[in-house]
Amino acid sequence: AEDPIFALNHYLKKHEDVSCDDVMEKIKVLSLAHSLDRRQQIKMAVHCLAQFGDEDQKVLLESIRKYSSIFVSFSLLDNDSQILMAFIEDLIVNRSVGEVLLNRSYDIWQCLYDQDIVDEEDMMRWYESGDHGFRIISDGDAKVIRERAEPFIKWLREAEEEEDGDD
């Protein structure tokens, strides 16, 4: 049987204007056919749907927006967001060429937040995470990504403090 990631990529290339519902259906079919667990489903979604260019982060941000409803469905259960962010980290560090995505990783985290894929609480949990249970990348790379995400996290904290002040 062919690799489910390969199968989904092939499907997406063949059906360029496919709806999110159709993509979700294909993910369900592949998940059943290959007995994929939740983590494997999230990996497949990130690997196939989070497209990126080597010049800038715009292609990745566009694909996150385009498939946001699918990514949201993979951030609903306990720990889903942490698994999703681990695969996004892997994409930023290991799958893209050079440091383009790494240098703009705060844009990526902000996009995940703006699209309601990852909420404030999960974002902070990821940022402050000493929990390596979901981590795919090295501790050194994780530290660098968090340093690059700092402007966004700082903004998130300040927004949270302002909200607390309003209550």
Side-chain angles (χ1 to χ4, degrees), residues 57 60-62 64-65 68 84-85 88 92 101-120 122-124 126-127 145 148-157 159:
Q57 82 290 358
L60 178 58
L61 301 181
E62 284 166 18
I64 290 171
R65 288 184 198 105
S68 64
L84 181 79
M85 287 189 284
I88 296 283
I92 291 170
L101 294 182
L102 181 63
N103 290 335
R104 306 293 295 187
S105 56
Y106 60 89
D107 288 334
I108 298 164
W109 303 121
Q110 181 158 7
C111 185
L112 290 169
Y113 176 77
D114 290 345
Q115 295 296 311
D116 294 323
I117 297 168
V118 178
D119 66 20
E120 202 171 305
D122 282 327
M123 196 62 75
M124 297 315 273
W126 164 80
Y127 181 74
I145 281 191
R148 305 287 165 91
E150 192 101 27
F152 170 66
I153 298 298
K154 188 172 185 262
W155 172 84
L156 205 57
R157 280 196 179 120

Side-chain angles (χ1 to χ4, degrees), residues 153-165:
I153 298 298
K154 188 172 185 262
W155 172 84
L156 205 57
R157 280 196 179 120
E158 287 167 1
E160 193 180 322
E161 286 165 12
E162 281 175 24
E163 262 180 35
D164 291 346

Side-chain angles (χ1 to χ4, degrees), residues 1-89:
E2 69 180 336
D3 174 53
I5 290 177
F6 176 82
L8 183 58
N9 270 327
H10 180 74
Y11 174 79
L12 291 169
K13 281 188 180 87
K14 221 166 106 183
H15 306 86
E16 282 181 32
D17 292 328
V18 69
S19 72
C20 283
D21 289 343
D22 289 342
V23 173
M24 226 19 235
E25 195 55 40
K26 185 70 176 172
I27 289 172
K28 286 177 189 164
V29 168
L30 288 167
S31 295
L32 288 170
H34 295 275
S35 306
L36 301 181
D37 64 22
R38 190 74 173 169
R39 183 186 170 92
Q40 291 167 316
Q41 291 172 11
I42 294 171
K43 177 182 181 176
M44 182 169 55
V46 171
H47 273 250
C48 297
L49 304 178
Q51 300 302 317
F52 56 92
D54 293 330
E55 307 78 50
D56 62 33
Q57 82 290 358
K58 289 184 185 75
V59 175
L60 178 58
L61 301 181
E62 284 166 18
S63 68
I64 290 171
R65 288 184 198 105
K66 178 179 179 181
Y67 296 113
S68 64
S69 65
I70 296 172
F71 290 124
V72 164
S73 71
F74 286 116
S75 65
L76 299 173
L77 303 178
D78 284 351
N79 298 324
D80 275 3
S81 295
Q82 300 306 310
I83 295 167
L84 181 79
M85 287 189 284
F87 283 113
I88 296 283
E89 282 182 327

